[in-house]
Amino acid sequence: MERFQTQAIDLPGVLGLANGAARLMGMRAIAKPARARCLDNLGESARQTPLVTHERQAAQARGLTSALVSVGGNLRAIGKKPDGSQWTGGVENPWNASEVYTTDSLFGAAINMSDMALVTSGDYQRYFVVDGKRYHHIIDPDTLWPAAYYNGVTVLCPDSGMADCLTTALFCMPLEEGQKLVESLDGVEAMWCTPDKQATTSSGWDSHLKK
């Protein structure tokens, strides 16, 4: 797990949250108390997605037609394996996660991938604990606190940038709203893992599972 440092953490008040949100939205904050910075670890997708896209483009420019690129929670399959079979990916179990991915930490069946991206956002790797409560890095813009709908959301689609943006957006949406959005998008599938340890998938998710 990549827990945030827990020394001297002081949770922000309403003013601190409002100013933190203002800075993230490109607005000028009216005050900048130090405590407002403790939840500002929001740049992961901004770093990972361009890297995965760049690696894919660079590989294809060199004539590479078969590869599997993994950066953090972003998995990108280029073409098929040299033997013609599809690449396979998986979703880490958000309730049994580990620092090293193993078959024991995977959730459900493996997923067939060819020219597809598999991206997960979750609350179980980057977080800190204060007074027994976990605070993760995905902030609900309505509450300005860590989103509490899910433990993990995974998106499968052809574009890694879109998948990365969607996982974060869906993580902050009620389930029915997120399902409606996913079903309206061509070539996009998703899985939602809720705090009651249940998983809900979009209508076409199962068609990508390895038989």
Side-chain angles (χ1 to χ4, degrees):
M1 301 304 140
E2 185 183 339
R3 296 192 187 187
F4 299 140
Q5 293 295 320
T6 57
Q7 294 89 340
I9 287 179
D10 192 4
L11 295 177
V14 175
L15 180 61
L17 290 173
N19 280 288
R23 291 200 305 276
L24 292 173
M25 295 173 64
M27 298 168 60
R28 183 175 181 179
I30 58 174
K32 297 182 180 180
R35 293 185 301 173
R37 298 178 189 143
C38 72
L39 296 178
D40 281 358
N41 187 6
L42 303 175
E44 202 64 28
S45 63
R47 292 190 293 271
Q48 290 180 357
T49 300
L51 179 58
V52 172
T53 301
H54 173 75
E55 292 293 335
R56 173 182 60 82
Q57 292 172 342
Q60 292 176 326
R62 291 176 172 83
L64 186 65
T65 59
S66 177
L68 189 65
V69 180
S70 177
V71 178
N74 194 321
L75 187 65
R76 172 72 192 192
I78 300 173
K80 296 182 178 180
K81 294 181 181 180
D83 64 6
S85 63
Q86 292 193 75
W87 295 102
T88 55
V91 178
E92 186 173 21
N93 188 333
W95 311 296
N96 187 34
S98 64
E99 293 185 2
V100 179
Y101 296 130
T102 67
T103 54
D104 292 333
S105 64
L106 293 181
F107 181 75
I111 300 166
N112 285 322
M113 299 176 62
S114 177
D115 292 319
M116 297 286 280
L118 184 69
V119 180
T120 297
S121 287
D123 68 354
Y124 49 89
Q125 288 190 333
R126 298 177 181 90
Y127 63 91
F128 59 80
V129 177
V130 176
D131 296 331
K133 183 175 180 178
R134 179 185 296 186
Y135 294 86
H136 61 83
H137 68 301
I138 305 174
I139 306 302
D140 186 334
D142 292 330
T143 66
L144 301 182
W145 287 103
Y149 294 109
Y150 315 103
N151 298 122
V153 174
T154 299
V155 169
L156 178 69
C157 75
D159 185 271
S160 59
M162 182 177 185
D164 207 344
C165 290
L166 278 173
T167 57
T168 305
L170 293 172
F171 203 93
C172 297
M173 292 182 185
L175 181 57
E176 290 186 3
E177 184 178 345
Q179 288 176 302
K180 184 177 180 179
L181 174 60
V182 170
E183 297 296 347
S184 72
L185 300 172
D186 291 335
V188 175
E189 303 298 340
M191 179 169 71
W192 297 261
C193 294
T194 50
D196 59 356
K197 296 188 177 181
Q198 299 296 314
T200 300
T201 58
S202 56
S203 60
W205 178 270
D206 286 357
S207 66
H208 295 276
L209 298 182
K210 186 177 181 179
K211 302 298 191 280

